Amino acid sequence: MVFLGSLLVVAAIAAVVGVILGNTGSTNLVAFGQTVPGVDELWQVFLAGAVTAVVFIAGTALAVIGTVRLLRTRRDLRDLREEHEESLTTLEMEKRRLQRELARVRQAAAQADASGGGSSGRGRQSRRGAPAAAQGPRVGPRSQVAATSPFFDRKE
């Protein structure tokens, strides 16, 4: 690709030099009804056309680059929005699951206290001095609680 591009550039330069050296007649260049000063020969007209073409190509390239950047930015923002919505949905599902699990644990603790007889923890004191029943049920040490989450267990 680089070789082919270099070959085309060399061919274009050779064509420009051939046109400039081969056209030595005099002429006038008129733009918007006005004669352009300083353009009196054919090679100057050709050179003015070449400069105009370069400016046109540069403007087109800038427009294309800007459009590509805009489309990429929009796509990235859309992807980030979708990812954000997905993570919110996942977190809401995890919250609901944890709420259900907490309700089950509290219900099981209430049933255990009710079936345990008269000692429902009224006389027990926790380390901080508050009754143990006011703190909620004891589930167990953190190291023994299984930590599962569909958010962190996903395989991507």
Side-chain angles (χ1 to χ4, degrees):
M1 283 307 249
V2 174
F3 177 73
L4 182 61
S6 300
L7 189 63
L8 288 175
V9 167
V10 170
I13 290 173
V16 167
V17 169
V19 168
I20 289 175
L21 294 178
N23 293 307
T24 58
S26 64
T27 188
N28 289 333
L29 179 62
V30 178
F32 304 111
Q34 300 291 324
T35 303
V36 179
V39 181
D40 299 330
E41 299 200 21
L42 287 176
W43 68 270
Q44 292 172 334
V45 173
F46 177 78
L47 195 58
V51 168
T52 303
V54 167
V55 169
F56 175 77
I57 291 171
T60 303
L62 286 174
V64 167
I65 289 170
T67 302
V68 167
R69 181 179 293 174
L70 176 68
L71 292 175
R72 186 181 323 124
T73 302
R74 284 185 181 179
R75 184 186 64 232
D76 290 346
L77 285 174
R78 184 184 65 237
D79 291 345
L80 285 173
R81 266 190 228 106
E82 289 173 358
E83 183 179 319
H84 179 69
E85 289 173 4
E86 181 181 311
S87 66
L88 281 177
T89 303
T90 304
L91 288 173
E92 287 173 359
M93 289 176 14
E94 179 72 8
K95 178 184 172 187
R96 282 189 223 112
R97 186 189 67 77
L98 289 172
Q99 286 173 338
R100 285 191 306 268
E101 185 178 330
L102 180 62
R104 272 194 314 258
V105 168
R106 285 183 176 166
Q107 184 179 13
Q111 288 174 357
D113 284 345
S115 67
S119 63
S120 61
R122 287 186 193 128
R124 290 186 314 194
Q125 294 282 327
S126 69
R127 286 185 226 169
R128 294 188 184 128
Q135 291 182 347
R138 290 186 52 113
V139 177
R142 282 185 177 240
S143 62
Q144 294 177 358
V145 177
T148 60
S149 170
F151 184 75
F152 294 107
D153 295 338
R154 291 189 305 184
K155 303 292 187 251
E156 292 184 17

